[in-house]
Amino acid sequence: MKMRAYLTTFLILTSTLGTVPNVHALIGRAAVTQINTQLYGVYLSSDPTCQTGLTAVVELTATPRPFNMARSPTLGQGEVPSGGIKCVVMVMKNDVQIGIAAGTYTGTSNSQADSVCNGGKTPSAAAICHNGVAVSWPAKITADAAAIGLSLTSSCAGGGSTSAVIPLYLSTYSACTGLTSVDAATPGCSSPDAFSPPTASNDLNYGIHISDPGPAGDFTFVIDPNQSAGNDGGGSGGSCDMFKAPLFSFRPS
């Protein structure tokens, strides 16, 4: 018998629900007020290489939907594959704008003082895929995009075009989350390329790790920015930014 489950809500966990220790960055999730992007569609699959069995739980559209990950928006729902959620592909604009509340931040990120965030951060255009990074698309999404006249990028420009349409791959085959403390137990992790899917189990280079919640039950997709924001570690004292991808997971609804 086929079991049904639904991806019902995208949201950020509150500080009381988090399970990741706040060690490397002392800008907590509650201080991240906005994670704004433009979302074209979301696909699920039980294929961890993200190549087959893709089903749209948020229908692909030629005009993107504004999406603030920090404000728990409901985007859509759909049937979870009977083989479980082993891949999520988010089709989005190459522009993630971060807002951080003003406060008194006494910790450090990337070995530099988080006090650079004391005045807060106002969202502004910022590409996440750049430097000529190649982008890979599954045949299903390529066909769906062609049918509605949506142009998908094949390579991110050197400076990062914020108008480009890119994929973000989350997979059970991907070994790394990009968060230092979470990945500490997985040798070889550094900064995974999230714009191409993994090709084999325990892939250290491609996609962002997500755990399969199982084929039965209702699930909520969680986007948790804890440890992702603070001092970006740049020159001249660094600047206030979200310098890592948030932690993605599922929890029972």
Side-chain angles (χ1 to χ4, degrees):
M1 178 178 176
K2 190 173 183 179
M3 295 183 176
R4 293 176 65 85
Y6 291 92
L7 178 68
T8 54
T9 306
F10 288 77
L11 78 164
I12 299 295
L13 285 179
T14 65
S15 58
T16 58
L17 294 177
T19 59
V20 181
N22 197 355
V23 175
H24 294 274
L26 295 181
I27 302 295
R29 61 180 65 81
V32 181
T33 59
Q34 298 180 64
I35 309 174
N36 298 327
T37 189
Q38 300 280 322
L39 192 69
Y40 292 91
V42 178
Y43 291 76
L44 299 182
S45 178
S46 58
D47 173 10
T49 67
C50 305
Q51 298 304 299
T52 62
L54 288 159
T55 301
V57 289
V58 177
E59 182 182 1
L60 192 69
T61 56
T63 302
R65 308 162 180 85
F67 177 33
N68 179 5
M69 298 181 191
R71 284 294 177 261
S72 306
T74 299
L75 293 177
Q77 65 181 26
E79 187 175 351
V80 170
S82 58
I85 304 170
K86 295 180 170 60
C87 168
V88 178
V89 185
M90 302 176 71
V91 183
M92 57 192 288
K93 184 174 285 189
N94 187 26
D95 182 12
V96 179
Q97 302 186 17
I98 307 303
I100 297 174
T104 302
Y105 302 111
T106 59
T108 60
S109 301
N110 300 302
S111 301
Q112 297 195 53
D114 287 332
S115 57
V116 294
C117 290
N118 285 355
K121 177 177 175 59
T122 300
S124 60
I128 60 172
C129 180
H130 44 76
N131 296 331
V133 172
V135 171
S136 173
W137 293 98
K140 166 66 173 172
I141 299 180
T142 299
D144 287 353
I148 61 174
L150 177 63
S151 297
L152 307 176
T153 192
S154 58
S155 178
C156 296
S161 169
T162 55
S163 64
V165 181
I166 62 170
L168 187 70
Y169 289 97
L170 316 175
S171 172
T172 58
Y173 265 9
S174 301
C176 309
T177 67
L179 295 177
T180 304
S181 62
V182 178
D183 292 339
T186 307
C189 282
S190 55
S191 296
D193 176 350
F195 314 112
S196 290
T199 58
S201 180
N202 200 41
D203 193 318
L204 296 168
N205 299 310
Y206 297 106
I208 295 175
H209 176 75
I210 196 167
S211 296
D212 180 1
D218 292 339
F219 305 111
T220 297
F221 187 39
V222 178
I223 305 170
D224 185 355
N226 196 42
Q227 300 189 69
S228 299
N231 193 314
D232 65 6
S236 301
S239 60
C240 184
D241 205 351
M242 189 170 177
F243 52 84
K244 294 285 188 181
L247 188 66
F248 297 93
S249 65
F250 290 94
R251 67 168 173 79
S253 295

mmCIF file of all heavy atoms in Angstrom, residues 146-195:
data_model
loop_
_atom_site.group_PDB
_atom_site.id
_atom_site.type_symbol
_atom_site.label_atom_id
_atom_site.label_comp_id
_atom_site.label_asym_id
_atom_site.label_seq_id
_atom_site.Cartn_x
_atom_site.Cartn_y
_atom_site.Cartn_z
ATOM 1 N N ALA A 146 11.445 24.540 -20.386
ATOM 2 C CA ALA A 146 11.263 24.826 -21.806
ATOM 3 C C ALA A 146 9.779 24.992 -22.146
ATOM 4 O O ALA A 146 9.407 25.837 -22.966
ATOM 5 C CB ALA A 146 11.885 23.719 -22.647
ATOM 6 N N ALA A 147 8.937 24.207 -21.484
ATOM 7 C CA ALA A 147 7.502 24.243 -21.768
ATOM 8 C C ALA A 147 6.859 25.568 -21.363
ATOM 9 O O ALA A 147 5.828 25.959 -21.931
ATOM 10 C CB ALA A 147 6.815 23.082 -21.065
ATOM 11 N N ILE A 148 7.463 26.261 -20.385
ATOM 12 C CA ILE A 148 6.875 27.531 -19.925
ATOM 13 C C ILE A 148 7.730 28.742 -20.318
ATOM 14 O O ILE A 148 7.424 29.872 -19.935
ATOM 15 C CB ILE A 148 6.664 27.524 -18.393
ATOM 16 C CG1 ILE A 148 8.000 27.348 -17.651
ATOM 17 C CG2 ILE A 148 5.675 26.444 -17.990
ATOM 18 C CD1 ILE A 148 7.873 27.483 -16.130
ATOM 19 N N GLY A 149 8.804 28.498 -21.073
ATOM 20 C CA GLY A 149 9.650 29.598 -21.532
ATOM 21 C C GLY A 149 10.573 30.166 -20.472
ATOM 22 O O GLY A 149 10.972 31.335 -20.555
ATOM 23 N N LEU A 150 10.949 29.346 -19.503
ATOM 24 C CA LEU A 150 11.871 29.791 -18.447
ATOM 25 C C LEU A 150 13.298 29.436 -18.838
ATOM 26 O O LEU A 150 13.604 28.262 -19.096
ATOM 27 C CB LEU A 150 11.512 29.125 -17.123
ATOM 28 C CG LEU A 150 12.429 29.431 -15.927
ATOM 29 C CD1 LEU A 150 12.380 30.915 -15.572
ATOM 30 C CD2 LEU A 150 12.040 28.579 -14.708
ATOM 31 N N SER A 151 14.187 30.415 -18.880
ATOM 32 C CA SER A 151 15.581 30.192 -19.251
ATOM 33 C C SER A 151 16.408 29.824 -18.025
ATOM 34 O O SER A 151 16.469 30.582 -17.049
ATOM 35 C CB SER A 151 16.169 31.450 -19.904
ATOM 36 O OG SER A 151 15.492 31.762 -21.098
ATOM 37 N N LEU A 152 17.052 28.663 -18.079
ATOM 38 C CA LEU A 152 17.886 28.177 -16.987
ATOM 39 C C LEU A 152 19.346 28.469 -17.298
ATOM 40 O O LEU A 152 19.791 28.254 -18.432
ATOM 41 C CB LEU A 152 17.692 26.670 -16.804
ATOM 42 C CG LEU A 152 16.253 26.171 -16.634
ATOM 43 C CD1 LEU A 152 16.230 24.648 -16.574
ATOM 44 C CD2 LEU A 152 15.613 26.774 -15.394
ATOM 45 N N THR A 153 20.102 28.910 -16.313
ATOM 46 C CA THR A 153 21.513 29.180 -16.560
ATOM 47 C C THR A 153 22.302 27.872 -16.608
ATOM 48 O O THR A 153 21.926 26.874 -15.983
ATOM 49 C CB THR A 153 22.096 30.096 -15.466
ATOM 50 O OG1 THR A 153 23.390 30.564 -15.891
ATOM 51 C CG2 THR A 153 22.263 29.376 -14.142
ATOM 52 N N SER A 154 23.394 27.880 -17.375
ATOM 53 C CA SER A 154 24.266 26.707 -17.447
ATOM 54 C C SER A 154 25.593 26.951 -16.742
ATOM 55 O O SER A 154 26.333 26.015 -16.448
ATOM 56 C CB SER A 154 24.533 26.324 -18.907
ATOM 57 O OG SER A 154 25.133 27.407 -19.610
ATOM 58 N N SER A 155 25.877 28.215 -16.457
ATOM 59 C CA SER A 155 27.106 28.570 -15.762
ATOM 60 C C SER A 155 26.935 29.934 -15.114
ATOM 61 O O SER A 155 26.385 30.848 -15.733
ATOM 62 C CB SER A 155 28.287 28.605 -16.733
ATOM 63 O OG SER A 155 29.486 28.983 -16.079
ATOM 64 N N CYS A 156 27.367 30.051 -13.886
ATOM 65 C CA CYS A 156 27.238 31.324 -13.177
ATOM 66 C C CYS A 156 28.362 32.264 -13.580
ATOM 67 O O CYS A 156 29.515 31.860 -13.672
ATOM 68 C CB CYS A 156 27.248 31.100 -11.668
ATOM 69 S SG CYS A 156 25.836 30.122 -11.085
ATOM 70 N N ALA A 157 28.023 33.503 -13.801
ATOM 71 C CA ALA A 157 29.002 34.491 -14.240
ATOM 72 C C ALA A 157 30.037 34.745 -13.152
ATOM 73 O O ALA A 157 29.803 34.460 -11.974
ATOM 74 C CB ALA A 157 28.290 35.785 -14.612
ATOM 75 N N GLY A 158 31.169 35.301 -13.555
ATOM 76 C CA GLY A 158 32.260 35.540 -12.612
ATOM 77 C C GLY A 158 31.836 36.340 -11.395
ATOM 78 O O GLY A 158 32.180 36.005 -10.273
ATOM 79 N N GLY A 159 31.080 37.407 -11.608
ATOM 80 C CA GLY A 159 30.616 38.215 -10.496
ATOM 81 C C GLY A 159 29.314 37.720 -9.903
ATOM 82 O O GLY A 159 28.902 38.165 -8.839
ATOM 83 N N GLY A 160 28.646 36.812 -10.624
ATOM 84 C CA GLY A 160 27.380 36.279 -10.145
ATOM 85 C C GLY A 160 26.202 37.129 -10.558
ATOM 86 O O GLY A 160 25.902 38.142 -9.939
ATOM 87 N N SER A 161 25.536 36.757 -11.649
ATOM 88 C CA SER A 161 24.351 37.489 -12.094
ATOM 89 C C SER A 161 23.177 37.162 -11.184
ATOM 90 O O SER A 161 22.786 36.001 -11.052
ATOM 91 C CB SER A 161 24.005 37.104 -13.540
ATOM 92 O OG SER A 161 22.734 37.613 -13.896
ATOM 93 N N THR A 162 22.595 38.180 -10.554
ATOM 94 C CA THR A 162 21.486 37.940 -9.627
ATOM 95 C C THR A 162 20.184 37.620 -10.356
ATOM 96 O O THR A 162 19.208 37.224 -9.719
ATOM 97 C CB THR A 162 21.271 39.156 -8.710
ATOM 98 O OG1 THR A 162 21.082 40.324 -9.516
ATOM 99 C CG2 THR A 162 22.471 39.347 -7.784
ATOM 100 N N SER A 163 20.155 37.755 -11.678
ATOM 101 C CA SER A 163 18.942 37.425 -12.435
ATOM 102 C C SER A 163 18.950 35.992 -12.941
ATOM 103 O O SER A 163 17.938 35.505 -13.450
ATOM 104 C CB SER A 163 18.786 38.387 -13.612
ATOM 105 O OG SER A 163 19.857 38.246 -14.527
ATOM 106 N N ALA A 164 20.073 35.292 -12.815
ATOM 107 C CA ALA A 164 20.177 33.922 -13.318
ATOM 108 C C ALA A 164 19.268 32.977 -12.532
ATOM 109 O O ALA A 164 19.039 33.154 -11.335
ATOM 110 C CB ALA A 164 21.626 33.447 -13.233
ATOM 111 N N VAL A 165 18.747 31.960 -13.230
ATOM 112 C CA VAL A 165 17.921 30.930 -12.595
ATOM 113 C C VAL A 165 18.820 29.733 -12.305
ATOM 114 O O VAL A 165 19.442 29.173 -13.209
ATOM 115 C CB VAL A 165 16.752 30.508 -13.502
ATOM 116 C CG1 VAL A 165 15.890 29.460 -12.809
ATOM 117 C CG2 VAL A 165 15.915 31.719 -13.885
ATOM 118 N N ILE A 166 18.895 29.349 -11.024
ATOM 119 C CA ILE A 166 19.824 28.296 -10.601
ATOM 120 C C ILE A 166 19.090 27.220 -9.794
ATOM 121 O O ILE A 166 18.027 27.460 -9.243
ATOM 122 C CB ILE A 166 20.968 28.882 -9.743
ATOM 123 C CG1 ILE A 166 20.402 29.513 -8.462
ATOM 124 C CG2 ILE A 166 21.795 29.892 -10.548
ATOM 125 C CD1 ILE A 166 21.464 29.894 -7.442
ATOM 126 N N PRO A 167 19.688 26.015 -9.705
ATOM 127 C CA PRO A 167 19.153 24.985 -8.822
ATOM 128 C C PRO A 167 19.934 24.943 -7.514
ATOM 129 O O PRO A 167 21.131 25.270 -7.468
ATOM 130 C CB PRO A 167 19.403 23.704 -9.617
ATOM 131 C CG PRO A 167 20.710 23.975 -10.321
ATOM 132 C CD PRO A 167 20.752 25.468 -10.578
ATOM 133 N N LEU A 168 19.260 24.542 -6.444
ATOM 134 C CA LEU A 168 19.927 24.254 -5.185
ATOM 135 C C LEU A 168 19.589 22.806 -4.854
ATOM 136 O O LEU A 168 18.418 22.458 -4.706
ATOM 137 C CB LEU A 168 19.440 25.184 -4.076
ATOM 138 C CG LEU A 168 20.191 25.097 -2.745
ATOM 139 C CD1 LEU A 168 21.596 25.680 -2.896
ATOM 140 C CD2 LEU A 168 19.438 25.838 -1.646
ATOM 141 N N TYR A 169 20.620 21.951 -4.769
ATOM 142 C CA TYR A 169 20.422 20.519 -4.579
ATOM 143 C C TYR A 169 20.645 20.108 -3.127
ATOM 144 O O TYR A 169 21.695 20.396 -2.541
ATOM 145 C CB TYR A 169 21.404 19.730 -5.451
ATOM 146 C CG TYR A 169 21.099 19.778 -6.926
ATOM 147 C CD1 TYR A 169 21.742 20.687 -7.757
ATOM 148 C CD2 TYR A 169 20.176 18.906 -7.495
ATOM 149 C CE1 TYR A 169 21.477 20.739 -9.124
ATOM 150 C CE2 TYR A 169 19.900 18.941 -8.862
ATOM 151 C CZ TYR A 169 20.550 19.854 -9.664
ATOM 152 O OH TYR A 169 20.279 19.899 -11.014
ATOM 153 N N LEU A 170 19.666 19.417 -2.562
ATOM 154 C CA LEU A 170 19.770 18.810 -1.248
ATOM 155 C C LEU A 170 19.592 17.310 -1.437
ATOM 156 O O LEU A 170 18.625 16.878 -2.076
ATOM 157 C CB LEU A 170 18.689 19.337 -0.306
ATOM 158 C CG LEU A 170 18.412 20.846 -0.306
ATOM 159 C CD1 LEU A 170 17.232 21.160 0.601
ATOM 160 C CD2 LEU A 170 19.649 21.606 0.129
ATOM 161 N N SER A 171 20.499 16.505 -0.883
ATOM 162 C CA SER A 171 20.436 15.075 -1.166
ATOM 163 C C SER A 171 20.973 14.238 -0.005
ATOM 164 O O SER A 171 21.878 14.665 0.720
ATOM 165 C CB SER A 171 21.241 14.760 -2.432
ATOM 166 O OG SER A 171 21.352 13.361 -2.638
ATOM 167 N N THR A 172 20.443 13.037 0.118
ATOM 168 C CA THR A 172 20.973 12.095 1.106
ATOM 169 C C THR A 172 22.325 11.542 0.676
ATOM 170 O O THR A 172 23.069 11.012 1.501
ATOM 171 C CB THR A 172 20.000 10.920 1.321
ATOM 172 O OG1 THR A 172 19.770 10.252 0.070
ATOM 173 C CG2 THR A 172 18.668 11.406 1.875
ATOM 174 N N TYR A 173 22.664 11.640 -0.612
ATOM 175 C CA TYR A 173 23.981 11.223 -1.093
ATOM 176 C C TYR A 173 25.055 12.273 -0.779
ATOM 177 O O TYR A 173 26.237 11.948 -0.737
ATOM 178 C CB TYR A 173 23.942 10.992 -2.604
ATOM 179 C CG TYR A 173 23.701 9.564 -3.033
ATOM 180 C CD1 TYR A 173 23.343 8.575 -2.117
ATOM 181 C CD2 TYR A 173 23.825 9.193 -4.370
ATOM 182 C CE1 TYR A 173 23.120 7.275 -2.514
ATOM 183 C CE2 TYR A 173 23.608 7.891 -4.782
ATOM 184 C CZ TYR A 173 23.248 6.937 -3.866
ATOM 185 O OH TYR A 173 23.034 5.632 -4.278
ATOM 186 N N SER A 174 24.665 13.516 -0.610
ATOM 187 C CA SER A 174 25.635 14.575 -0.301
ATOM 188 C C SER A 174 26.119 14.399 1.130
ATOM 189 O O SER A 174 25.318 14.203 2.045
ATOM 190 C CB SER A 174 24.996 15.947 -0.486
ATOM 191 O OG SER A 174 24.546 16.112 -1.817
ATOM 192 N N ALA A 175 27.429 14.488 1.338
ATOM 193 C CA ALA A 175 27.991 14.208 2.659
ATOM 194 C C ALA A 175 28.073 15.441 3.551
ATOM 195 O O ALA A 175 28.116 15.310 4.778
ATOM 196 C CB ALA A 175 29.388 13.602 2.508
ATOM 197 N N CYS A 176 28.084 16.637 2.967
ATOM 198 C CA CYS A 176 28.423 17.841 3.728
ATOM 199 C C CYS A 176 27.264 18.843 3.768
ATOM 200 O O CYS A 176 26.540 19.003 2.782
ATOM 201 C CB CYS A 176 29.642 18.520 3.117
ATOM 202 S SG CYS A 176 31.056 17.408 2.841
ATOM 203 N N THR A 177 27.131 19.517 4.891
ATOM 204 C CA THR A 177 26.140 20.583 5.026
ATOM 205 C C THR A 177 26.742 21.952 4.748
ATOM 206 O O THR A 177 26.008 22.908 4.487
ATOM 207 C CB THR A 177 25.561 20.611 6.452
ATOM 208 O OG1 THR A 177 26.587 21.012 7.374
ATOM 209 C CG2 THR A 177 25.005 19.255 6.859
ATOM 210 N N GLY A 178 28.063 22.072 4.859
ATOM 211 C CA GLY A 178 28.732 23.358 4.741
ATOM 212 C C GLY A 178 28.932 24.049 6.072
ATOM 213 O O GLY A 178 29.634 25.055 6.158
ATOM 214 N N LEU A 179 28.333 23.503 7.159
ATOM 215 C CA LEU A 179 28.492 24.064 8.498
ATOM 216 C C LEU A 179 29.620 23.333 9.221
ATOM 217 O O LEU A 179 29.596 22.110 9.356
ATOM 218 C CB LEU A 179 27.193 23.951 9.290
ATOM 219 C CG LEU A 179 26.016 24.770 8.757
ATOM 220 C CD1 LEU A 179 24.773 24.507 9.591
ATOM 221 C CD2 LEU A 179 26.347 26.255 8.766
ATOM 222 N N THR A 180 30.593 24.083 9.705
ATOM 223 C CA THR A 180 31.813 23.505 10.240
ATOM 224 C C THR A 180 31.560 22.512 11.368
ATOM 225 O O THR A 180 32.099 21.400 11.356
ATOM 226 C CB THR A 180 32.748 24.621 10.748
ATOM 227 O OG1 THR A 180 32.995 25.532 9.684
ATOM 228 C CG2 THR A 180 34.060 24.054 11.250
ATOM 229 N N SER A 181 30.751 22.878 12.347
ATOM 230 C CA SER A 181 30.554 21.998 13.503
ATOM 231 C C SER A 181 29.796 20.729 13.132
ATOM 232 O O SER A 181 30.077 19.648 13.646
ATOM 233 C CB SER A 181 29.812 22.736 14.617
ATOM 234 O OG SER A 181 28.536 23.123 14.179
ATOM 235 N N VAL A 182 28.843 20.841 12.217
ATOM 236 C CA VAL A 182 28.076 19.675 11.785
ATOM 237 C C VAL A 182 28.944 18.728 10.965
ATOM 238 O O VAL A 182 28.860 17.503 11.084
ATOM 239 C CB VAL A 182 26.840 20.108 10.980
ATOM 240 C CG1 VAL A 182 26.065 18.903 10.473
ATOM 241 C CG2 VAL A 182 25.935 20.993 11.829
ATOM 242 N N ASP A 183 29.802 19.298 10.125
ATOM 243 C CA ASP A 183 30.626 18.489 9.228
ATOM 244 C C ASP A 183 31.918 17.998 9.863
ATOM 245 O O ASP A 183 32.680 17.274 9.219
ATOM 246 C CB ASP A 183 30.976 19.302 7.973
ATOM 247 C CG ASP A 183 29.765 19.574 7.095
ATOM 248 O OD1 ASP A 183 28.774 18.832 7.213
ATOM 249 O OD2 ASP A 183 29.823 20.528 6.300
ATOM 250 N N ALA A 184 32.166 18.359 11.112
ATOM 251 C CA ALA A 184 33.429 17.991 11.757
ATOM 252 C C ALA A 184 33.637 16.478 11.802
ATOM 253 O O ALA A 184 34.771 15.989 11.764
ATOM 254 C CB ALA A 184 33.482 18.564 13.173
ATOM 255 N N ALA A 185 32.557 15.724 11.877
ATOM 256 C CA ALA A 185 32.656 14.267 11.950
ATOM 257 C C ALA A 185 32.783 13.614 10.577
ATOM 258 O O ALA A 185 32.856 12.387 10.481
ATOM 259 C CB ALA A 185 31.439 13.700 12.681
ATOM 260 N N THR A 186 32.800 14.417 9.527
ATOM 261 C CA THR A 186 32.901 13.887 8.164
ATOM 262 C C THR A 186 34.174 14.410 7.520
ATOM 263 O O THR A 186 34.194 15.518 6.965
ATOM 264 C CB THR A 186 31.678 14.308 7.320
ATOM 265 O OG1 THR A 186 30.479 13.944 8.008
ATOM 266 C CG2 THR A 186 31.700 13.624 5.957
ATOM 267 N N PRO A 187 35.260 13.657 7.573
ATOM 268 C CA PRO A 187 36.532 14.122 6.998
ATOM 269 C C PRO A 187 36.386 14.430 5.511
ATOM 270 O O PRO A 187 35.716 13.715 4.766
ATOM 271 C CB PRO A 187 37.465 12.918 7.215
ATOM 272 C CG PRO A 187 36.867 12.165 8.349
ATOM 273 C CD PRO A 187 35.386 12.327 8.200
ATOM 274 N N GLY A 188 36.991 15.536 5.103
ATOM 275 C CA GLY A 188 36.989 15.913 3.697
ATOM 276 C C GLY A 188 35.976 16.961 3.342
ATOM 277 O O GLY A 188 35.984 17.478 2.217
ATOM 278 N N CYS A 189 35.098 17.315 4.272
ATOM 279 C CA CYS A 189 34.095 18.348 3.981
ATOM 280 C C CYS A 189 34.717 19.732 4.051
ATOM 281 O O CYS A 189 35.509 20.017 4.941
ATOM 282 C CB CYS A 189 32.940 18.274 4.989
ATOM 283 S SG CYS A 189 31.760 16.954 4.652
ATOM 284 N N SER A 190 34.325 20.594 3.116
ATOM 285 C CA SER A 190 34.735 21.989 3.198
ATOM 286 C C SER A 190 33.540 22.847 2.793
ATOM 287 O O SER A 190 32.655 23.083 3.601
ATOM 288 C CB SER A 190 35.959 22.261 2.318
ATOM 289 O OG SER A 190 35.723 21.854 0.985
ATOM 290 N N SER A 191 33.498 23.269 1.540
ATOM 291 C CA SER A 191 32.382 24.073 1.053
ATOM 292 C C SER A 191 31.794 23.377 -0.173
ATOM 293 O O SER A 191 32.298 23.549 -1.289
ATOM 294 C CB SER A 191 32.844 25.488 0.691
ATOM 295 O OG SER A 191 33.317 26.165 1.827
ATOM 296 N N PRO A 192 30.752 22.579 -0.003
ATOM 297 C CA PRO A 192 30.210 21.824 -1.136
ATOM 298 C C PRO A 192 29.590 22.731 -2.195
ATOM 299 O O PRO A 192 29.085 23.807 -1.889
ATOM 300 C CB PRO A 192 29.148 20.937 -0.487
ATOM 301 C CG PRO A 192 28.751 21.666 0.766
ATOM 302 C CD PRO A 192 30.011 22.324 1.248
ATOM 303 N N ASP A 193 29.658 22.289 -3.446
ATOM 304 C CA ASP A 193 29.022 22.968 -4.560
ATOM 305 C C ASP A 193 27.562 22.539 -4.569
ATOM 306 O O ASP A 193 27.238 21.392 -4.878
ATOM 307 C CB ASP A 193 29.725 22.566 -5.855
ATOM 308 C CG ASP A 193 29.092 23.151 -7.109
ATOM 309 O OD1 ASP A 193 27.993 23.729 -7.010
ATOM 310 O OD2 ASP A 193 29.692 22.999 -8.197
ATOM 311 N N ALA A 194 26.660 23.462 -4.240
ATOM 312 C CA ALA A 194 25.246 23.126 -4.113
ATOM 313 C C ALA A 194 24.489 23.211 -5.424
ATOM 314 O O ALA A 194 23.284 22.952 -5.456
ATOM 315 C CB ALA A 194 24.592 24.059 -3.098
ATOM 316 N N PHE A 195 25.167 23.544 -6.525
ATOM 317 C CA PHE A 195 24.482 23.825 -7.784
ATOM 318 C C PHE A 195 24.574 22.680 -8.787
ATOM 319 O O PHE A 195 24.098 22.792 -9.916
ATOM 320 C CB PHE A 195 25.026 25.117 -8.376
ATOM 321 C CG PHE A 195 25.127 26.215 -7.340
ATOM 322 C CD1 PHE A 195 26.359 26.694 -6.907
ATOM 323 C CD2 PHE A 195 23.975 26.717 -6.742
ATOM 324 C CE1 PHE A 195 26.451 27.671 -5.936
ATOM 325 C CE2 PHE A 195 24.047 27.697 -5.759
ATOM 326 C CZ PHE A 195 25.285 28.175 -5.348
#
